[in-house]
């Protein structure tokens, strides 16, 4: 749980004209959007910029595509500044998983090499690690990190899996299913001491963390700008440092293949890159309207308030404390435990997500870890306390009914 309990509802953020922040987005008003962390949400101004760019592309494609690498190179400079990265280290990729796949494809073969991951890792990333381990003739070793583990305990769990056979370590900066940080700084220092490449999956970090690369020693880092940064979807960064980056190539070969890293990523044939070109518009909108530090503080205060009231509603329902002791909490996201019978697997969690949207009118993130179901609360500037009060009052009782039905079905 968070270090300090938020007892009062934070005042909602407003636009410059006094209108609610949500007016700057085109989200369906018939739904409560309480899961920004999965797919993000794009402000209208960035959508409009992307539409303008698409119109320009379609009006003169033979002019557009030869000129596109220069425009993407210029866009990288601004995005690198937002992340605190060197533009010469940053390549643009469609999403964090694509950045991970680029690294998996570009690493030199290592006969019998092992890959170390954690049990909090994103499923698609771990599956990719398993495929790479099969190509190497090695295996994946999974570090078991308790949900309530602090930095030192989490670091020790990962370090215990390292050996002379380790060819790569893959660790989340912020975990998806469990909404916690991992001590990537400690792990990075140890990996560097041992000469082991480290890949940091920073999918949730851009926008949620002020400077996600500060103090971080790693060979590769990848993060989504279309989550907390609110960029159009299909916008992510891959940061690579050191000699191994020379082996990284886009997943699609194109005429830029002979260019050095990261320039070779700027030429991808007829791929629609308007999302990447419009990403800066989204980042600048939040920065100029509220300032990113204010936005992050609001998101964290609101998530803390949501944790308190939703957790209290679940506790009243079940008679058990629904709050979760997360060892390294992150801003803007919280976990609360669901009643037994709900989301006890990833498949069940996804089914619950779809049912909640269809029957409760709520987009929410339900996750599973260690056979236990959780509600991952995530907040952005367009959310208000009323969104979570609605969930606590109207949705939690229904979740209780669904949980009872699931338990009865299981024992019948």
């Amino acid at each position: 749980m968070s270090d300090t309990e938020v007892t009062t509802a934070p005042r909602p953020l407003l636009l410059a004209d006094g209108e609610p922040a949500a007016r700057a987005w085109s989200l369906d008003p018939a739904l409560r959007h309480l899961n920004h962390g999965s797919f993000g949400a794009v402000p209208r101004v960035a959508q409009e910029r992307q539409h303008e760019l698409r119109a320009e592309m379609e009006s003169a494609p033979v002019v557009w595509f030869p000129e596109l690498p220069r425009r993407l190179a210029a866009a990288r400079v601004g995005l690198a500044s937002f992340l605190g990265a060197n533009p010469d280290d940053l390549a643009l990729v469609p999403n964090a998983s694509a950045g991970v796949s680029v690294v998996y494809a570009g690493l030199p073969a290592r006969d019998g090499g092992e890959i170390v991951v954690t049990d909090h890792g994103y499923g698609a990333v771990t599956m990719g690690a398993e495929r790479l381990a099969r190509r190497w003739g090695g295996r994946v070793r999974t570090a078991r990190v308790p949900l309530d583990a602090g930095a030192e305990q989490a670091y020790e769990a990962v370090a215990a899996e390292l050996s002379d056979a380790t060819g790569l370590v893959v660790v989340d900066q912020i975990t998806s299913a469990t909404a916690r940080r991992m001590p990537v700084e400690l792990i990075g220092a140890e990996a560097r001491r041992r000469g082991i490449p480290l890949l940091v999956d920073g999918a949730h970090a851009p926008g949620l963390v002020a400077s996600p690369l500060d103090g971080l020693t790693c060979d590769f880092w990848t993060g989504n700008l279309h989550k907390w940064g609110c960029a159009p979807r299909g916008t992510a960064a891959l940061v690579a440092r050191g000699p191994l980056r020379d082996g990284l190539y886009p997943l699609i070969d194109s005429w830029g293949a002979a260019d050095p890293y990261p320039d070779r990523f700027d030429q991808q044939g007829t791929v629609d890159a308007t999302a990447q070109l419009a990403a800066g518009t989204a980042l600048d909108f939040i920065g100029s309207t509220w300032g990113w530090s204010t936005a992050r503080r609001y998101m964290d205060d609101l998530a803390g308030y949501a944790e308190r009231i939703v957790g209290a509603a679940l506790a009243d329902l079940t008679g058990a404390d629904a709050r979760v002791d997360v060892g390294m909490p992150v801003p803007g996201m919280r976990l609360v435990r669901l009643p037994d019978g709900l989301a006890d697997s990833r498949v069940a969690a996804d089914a619950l997500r779809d049912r909640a949207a269809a029957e409760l009118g709520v987009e929410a993130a339900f996750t599973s870890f260690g056979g236990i179901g959780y509600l991952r609360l995530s907040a952005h500037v367009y959310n208000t306390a009323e969104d979570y009060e609605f969930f606590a009052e109207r949705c939690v009782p229904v979740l209780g009914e669904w949980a009872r039905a699931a338990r009865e079905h299981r024992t019948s």
Side-chain angles (χ1 to χ4, degrees):
M1 67 191 73
S2 58
D3 292 336
T4 57
E5 186 175 62
V6 180
T7 58
T8 59
R11 297 178 62 182
L13 293 183
L14 302 175
L15 299 172
D17 59 4
E19 289 291 310
R23 289 289 298 273
W25 276 259
S26 55
L27 294 165
D28 185 350
L31 287 170
R32 302 275 177 165
H33 301 274
L34 309 184
N35 181 20
H36 185 89
S38 286
F39 300 104
V42 186
R44 295 179 191 272
V45 64
Q47 295 181 47
E48 292 164 359
R49 178 57 181 154
Q50 187 177 19
H51 292 328
E52 292 171 358
L53 290 164
R54 278 184 172 148
E56 183 181 348
M57 175 177 68
E58 298 301 343
S59 68
V62 178
V63 174
W64 172 270
F65 285 102
E67 178 68 7
L68 185 56
R70 184 192 65 79
R71 298 178 74 160
L72 286 172
R76 282 196 283 110
V77 173
L79 299 178
S81 176
F82 177 77
L83 294 171
N86 184 329
D88 293 335
D89 295 339
L90 187 148
L92 294 174
V93 289
N95 53 43
S97 295
V100 169
S101 297
V102 165
V103 174
Y104 289 163
L107 287 174
R110 175 166 179 150
D111 187 30
E114 296 181 345
I115 303 170
V116 172
V117 301
T118 79
D119 54 348
H120 296 253
Y122 190 63
V125 170
T126 299
M127 287 189 285
E130 291 167 347
R131 288 192 295 273
L132 177 58
R134 288 195 294 271
R135 293 199 299 272
W136 283 355
R139 63 169 178 160
V140 168
R141 298 178 66 94
T142 302
R144 307 290 174 182
V145 179
L147 187 54
D148 62 353
E152 190 65 28
Q153 184 181 3
Y155 157 74
E156 290 174 353
V158 174
E161 300 298 330
L162 303 180
S163 72
D164 291 342
T166 307
L168 179 67
V169 181
V170 185
V171 182
D172 296 76
Q173 191 165 22
I174 296 173
T175 64
S176 178
T178 51
R180 60 158 291 152
R181 290 187 296 120
M182 286 292 178
V184 290
E185 295 83 4
L186 293 174
I187 295 167
E190 179 65 13
R192 179 60 53 87
R193 187 184 71 81
R194 292 173 178 245
I196 302 171
L198 171 64
L199 166 59
V200 174
D201 181 355
H204 284 273
L208 202 57
V209 177
S211 297
L213 291 156
D214 275 2
L216 178 55
T217 300
C218 65
D219 300 88
F220 314 103
W221 176 96
T222 185
N224 290 319
L225 290 158
H226 56 234
K227 285 182 181 286
W228 302 94
C230 293
R233 291 164 191 86
T235 309
L238 169 63
V239 175
R241 300 178 288 206
L244 289 174
R245 75 179 189 175
D246 293 335
L248 302 185
Y249 285 82
L251 298 177
I252 302 171
D253 285 326
S254 192
W255 286 101
D259 294 340
Y261 177 94
D263 298 346
R264 62 180 68 128
F265 286 78
D266 294 339
Q267 190 164 340
Q268 288 285 278
T270 54
V271 167
D272 183 350
T274 55
Q276 297 169 340
L277 295 178
T281 301
L283 301 176
D284 291 345
F285 167 71
I286 294 173
S288 62
T289 304
W290 301 287
W292 272 100
S293 60
T294 296
R296 278 189 284 267
R297 185 166 56 251
Y298 174 77
M299 290 187 283
D300 194 39
D301 288 346
L302 184 56
Y305 177 73
E307 175 190 36
R308 184 179 72 82
I309 62 168
V310 174
L314 286 166
D316 289 343
L317 181 75
T318 65
D321 190 353
R323 295 175 300 172
V324 180
D325 188 1
V326 174
M328 298 180 69
V330 299
M333 288 198 289
R334 300 288 192 277
L335 280 189
V336 292
R337 181 166 176 167
L338 292 169
D340 291 344
L342 294 181
D344 55 4
S345 69
R346 184 188 65 82
V347 172
D350 288 349
L352 182 58
R353 172 202 63 199
D354 297 343
R355 187 179 185 186
E359 298 184 31
L360 300 178
V362 170
E363 289 190 329
F366 299 99
T367 69
S368 178
F369 181 72
I372 297 174
Y374 298 97
L375 170 65
R376 189 190 73 192
L377 298 162
S378 60
H380 213 280
V381 295
Y382 55 80
N383 290 123
T384 66
E386 197 271 334
D387 289 327
Y388 300 96
E389 291 163 357
F390 172 89
F391 189 93
E393 296 167 8
R394 302 285 296 277
C395 300
V396 166
V398 178
L399 291 179
E401 294 172 6
W402 292 353
R404 282 192 295 272
R407 293 193 298 269
E408 292 170 359
H409 177 74
R410 186 182 300 164
T411 57
S412 62

